[in-house]
Amino acid sequence: MKIQTTRRALLGAALATPALLAGTARAQSNWPSQPITLVIPFAPGGPTDAVGRMLAEAMSRDLGVNVVAQNVGGAGGTIGVNRVAQARPDGHTILLHNIGMSTAPTLYRRLPYNPLTAFEMLGLVTATPMVWLTRPDFPATNFAEMIRLIREGGERINLGNAGLGSASQLCGTLLQASLGTRFTAVSFAGSGPIYPELMASRLDIYCDQTTSAIPFIRANQIKALAVTTPQPLPAVPDVPTAIQGGLPGFEVAIWHGLYAPAGTPKPVQDRLNAALRFALADARVVERMTGLGSQPEPVERQNGEVHRAHLAAEIERWRPVLQAAGQFAD
């Protein structure tokens, strides 16, 4: 009797499997069945927000449903990232994140997710340079003078950042390590709130991504002293490089990647990747990114395999830098 029962159970499972597979295939073929939420793990108005909204608009046109950008800020981006890590892996909740995905494992000793196992990588999106900014009445007129004032003033100079783990905090940490000195770090809840403080001369210096900074530079509301690229940027051709200003090898490019929760079906991943590639080939997106000093990643980097390898390498690259700085977020 027991053997017969077991055989019937196995037969039932064998018969059910094609039906289950067919049901899964139908569900995936009907995807997307509702609007897609693109989580941006920072406050509105920041550089990742700017990239995310460009991406959401273009991907919506390709997917035929709204891709809705949703800001979920806090804790250096980890709250929004963890929300996506715990979301249902059906492709209706995805994440845009920057280089902070690679610094969080060092900055947060009790990180609630593993970046390499909690997500499916959908492709790299952009590589955005950074620019050193000062308040309008800051006494330095060039980057070399800014460095001199930092060395002389030390902790009397205050540097804004968008929170531990943010691109701006990383840029400041690198400058501090390069100069062998310390200044006063002032953290904000994202990039957006920093500009009013900078323009009102309540903050001395700030390092931000060009996607946020260029409109303020062009409006002459702040001073731009150096970009973090090997060559000057066409978008702000009058701003020299940090290398030209006296810091050999000081190059920082803030990359962004697109993620889905681990376990998202491969056909859905592929469709999201196709929508990403569609967006990054869109002439309007390219024009807007270029005008803000950024650019889409090359086509060969817009895939999950390259994205995963890049993230793993970046985690190892920044770990010793951040450990040497001795700054942790928990």
Side-chain angles (χ1 to χ4, degrees), residues 46-121:
T48 302
D49 184 58
V51 173
R53 291 181 186 280
M54 290 183 212
L55 205 61
E57 181 184 344
M59 290 180 68
S60 296
R61 293 196 298 271
D62 184 57
L63 291 168
V65 299
N66 286 335
V67 178
V68 182
Q70 182 183 80
N71 297 91
V72 184
T78 59
I79 293 175
V81 176
N82 194 45
R83 179 174 297 187
V84 178
Q86 296 180 359
R88 174 179 287 189
D90 60 5
H92 289 109
T93 303
I94 56 178
L95 169 74
L96 178 73
H97 199 11
N98 62 22
I99 195 172
M101 188 68 105
S102 63
T103 60
T106 303
L107 287 169
Y108 292 85
R109 291 163 291 188
R110 293 180 291 276
L111 195 66
Y113 55 85
N114 183 329
L116 291 171
T117 60
F119 299 94
E120 307 294 349
M121 284 57 170

Side-chain angles (χ1 to χ4, degrees), residues 5 11-12 24 34 36 58 64 68 127 153 162-163 165 181 204 270 274 302 313 323 325 329:
T5 301
L11 179 60
T24 301
Q34 63 190 59
I36 296 168
V68 182
T181 187
D204 292 324
D270 291 343
Q302 298 170 15
Q323 286 177 337

